[in-house]
């Protein structure tokens, strides 16, 4: 499989989409304070901005394309001025095409300022959360929206708590192996189309299913299988980190395959290094059991820094050293 593909990113989202979706997976509720066309305003950056300097009149470095957060400091600054000065300060903000303004800690805008925002077409929202918490939740949502993502052909399975991505040429039996693992009590994340995301600068990759394909699988010779209906809710997962990639290879007598496991391979997905295990396929080989062992080996190394090949090598080295010592004594 070609993992060299560059990831894709959304260029922007509308403020209407932002308002309608942020509360679904995040503990934040925004309340509209004015009525404008939210479809005409777009958010194109994950970073937020507190426009204190802009309100004070310094707009040379004003990052107006970001969502603007008005907390206690900004609203008190405005309220400490008379109406004329307040209007002049707020004009420094709304004369730019900012995506939207969010008031935190249940702060309020003076009616004349809210009217100015409405005339400029700027959506204004309020939340009960403090600035710190609101900015954390909003940034997390925007991180997810603007995350690097790509879709790959393969199967993603949760094996013993480890996210295993099965890849390889079409026809090698990835779906059949995934089905075998499901029957053995493991969970299916996605089959055929696996969507992988890298959120922000994190080194964690998470895999999800295609919403149209959902948890259906195509098994050659059998047809379409509904994993959730056949095996129950325990057999599916919505999301899982990609922790190991298992590449299925056609057996070739001329190829020298890894036998000890000392030469640990890895592969880059969206710029993140992921351990790679290459398994040759031939009739009679129980791939499902081997993948279970791959997952258990990953857990051993992750939690105990134990690698069986290194332990065996150390035993052999110790045995040789003892033999040499006995030879020297005799």
């Amino acid at each position: 499989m070609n993992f060299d593909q560059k990831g894709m990113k959304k260029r922007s989202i509308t403020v209407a989409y932002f308002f309608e979706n942020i509360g679904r997976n995040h503990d934040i509720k925004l309340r509209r304070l004015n009525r404008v066309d939210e479809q005409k305003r777009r958010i194109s950056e994950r970073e937020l901005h507190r426009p204190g300097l802009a309100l004070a009149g310094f707009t040379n470095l004003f990052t107006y394309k970001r969502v603007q957060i008005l907390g206690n400091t900004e609203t008190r600054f405005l309220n400490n001025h008379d109406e004329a000065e307040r209007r002049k300060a707020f004009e420094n903000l709304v004369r730019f095409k900012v995506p939207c303004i969010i008031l935190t800690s249940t702060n309020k805008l003076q009616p004349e300022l809210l009217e100015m925002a409405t005339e400029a077409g700027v959506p204004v929202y309020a939340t009960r959360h403090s600035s710190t918490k609101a900015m954390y939740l909003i940034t997390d949502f925007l991180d997810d929206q603007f995350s690097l993502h790509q879709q790959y052909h393969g199967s993603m399975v949760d094996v013993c708590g480890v996210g295993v991505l099965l890849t390889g040429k079409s026809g090698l039996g990835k779906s059949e192996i995934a089905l075998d693992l499901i029957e053995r009590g493991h969970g299916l994340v996605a089959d055929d189309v696996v969507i992988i995301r890298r959120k922000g600068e994190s080194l964690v990759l998470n895999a999800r299913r295609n919403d149209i394909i959902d948890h259906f699988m195509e098994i050659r010779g059998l047809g379409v299988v509904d994993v959730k209906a056949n095996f129950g809710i325990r057999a599916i997962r919505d999301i899982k980190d990609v922790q190991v990639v298992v590449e299925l290879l056609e057996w070739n007598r001329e190829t020298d395959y890894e036998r000890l496991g000392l030469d640990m391979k890895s592969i880059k997905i969206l710029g993140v290094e992921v351990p790679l295990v290459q398994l040759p396929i031939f009739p009679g080989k129980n791939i499902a059991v081997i993948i279970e062992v791959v997952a258990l080996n990953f857990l051993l190394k992750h939690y105990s820094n134990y690698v069986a090949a290194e332990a065996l090598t150390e035993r052999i080295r110790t045995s040789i050293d003892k033999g040499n010592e006995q030879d020297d004594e005799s």
Side-chain angles (χ1 to χ4, degrees), residues 218-229:
E218 180 193 346
I219 305 298
R220 286 180 173 83
L222 175 62
V224 175
V225 175
D226 186 337
V227 172
K228 183 178 178 181

Side-chain angles (χ1 to χ4, degrees), residues 27-264:
D27 180 28
I28 184 170
K29 186 175 181 181
L30 300 179
R31 180 167 53 90
R32 279 193 184 96
L33 297 183
N34 63 347
R35 290 283 176 176
V36 297
D37 190 349
E38 296 165 342
Q39 293 285 352
K40 289 185 177 180
R41 298 281 165 155
R42 303 191 73 87
I43 301 170
S44 57
E45 297 185 26
R46 59 173 288 278
E47 291 83 6
L48 310 179
H49 184 63
R50 298 189 67 169
L53 286 175
L55 292 173
F58 182 74
T59 58
N60 291 2
L61 299 176
F62 180 31
T63 50
Y64 65 89
K65 293 183 179 180
R66 299 176 182 176
V67 173
Q68 305 297 312
I69 304 294
L70 299 188
N72 293 330
T73 304
E74 292 80 10
T75 52
R76 287 176 187 175
F77 172 82
L78 291 169
N79 292 336
N80 282 338
H81 290 76
D82 59 35
E83 183 176 339
E85 291 177 326
R86 199 160 46 233
R87 281 179 170 274
K88 183 179 179 182
F90 198 66
E91 173 65 23
N92 291 326
L93 184 60
V94 297
R95 66 188 174 90
F96 292 91
K97 194 170 183 179
V98 298
C100 63
I101 296 171
I102 298 177
L103 297 164
T104 61
S105 303
T106 62
N107 281 300
K108 297 179 180 178
L109 278 182
Q110 297 290 341
E112 67 271 14
L113 301 186
L114 193 59
E115 184 181 346
M116 288 175 66
T118 304
E119 289 175 356
V122 180
V124 182
Y125 307 108
T127 176
R128 59 181 175 81
H129 288 310
S130 66
S131 296
T132 302
K133 186 171 183 180
M135 291 177 75
Y136 172 81
L137 294 171
I138 295 168
T139 301
D140 190 55
F141 173 80
L142 294 178
D143 254 344
D144 192 49
Q145 293 299 312
F146 295 120
S147 62
L148 205 60
H149 65 277
Q150 187 57 268
Q151 66 177 33
Y152 300 94
H153 176 65
S155 297
M156 182 71 192
V157 188
D158 177 356
V159 183
C160 302
V162 178
V164 179
L165 176 63
L166 304 177
T167 70
K169 291 181 180 179
S170 182
L172 283 179
K174 295 183 293 295
S175 296
E176 289 80 358
I177 293 167
L179 188 61
D180 196 2
L181 288 165
I182 293 163
E183 199 276 332
R184 294 172 67 87
H186 305 293
L188 177 71
V189 180
D191 185 59
D192 194 41
V193 177
V194 182
I195 300 171
I196 297 179
R197 291 181 179 273
R198 179 184 178 185
K199 196 170 181 179
E201 298 303 315
S202 169
L203 296 180
V204 176
L205 302 172
N206 61 62
R208 308 179 187 189
R209 67 188 184 278
N210 177 289
D211 288 335
I212 298 174
I213 298 176
D214 201 29
H215 288 109
F216 289 89
M217 302 178 73
E218 180 193 346
I219 305 298
R220 286 180 173 83
L222 175 62
V224 175
V225 175
D226 186 337
V227 172
K228 183 178 178 181
N230 280 9
F231 296 94
I233 197 70
R234 68 170 179 81
I236 61 171
R237 307 285 188 274
D238 282 334
I239 187 170
K240 188 68 183 175
D241 292 346
V242 181
Q243 293 165 293
V244 182
V245 175
V246 175
E247 183 181 11
L248 306 178
L249 304 172
E250 291 179 297
W251 171 258
N252 186 340
R253 291 182 179 275
E254 305 302 320
T255 303
D256 186 21
Y257 298 106
E258 179 64 29
R259 300 188 65 177
L260 293 178
L262 289 171
D263 183 19
M264 302 298 291

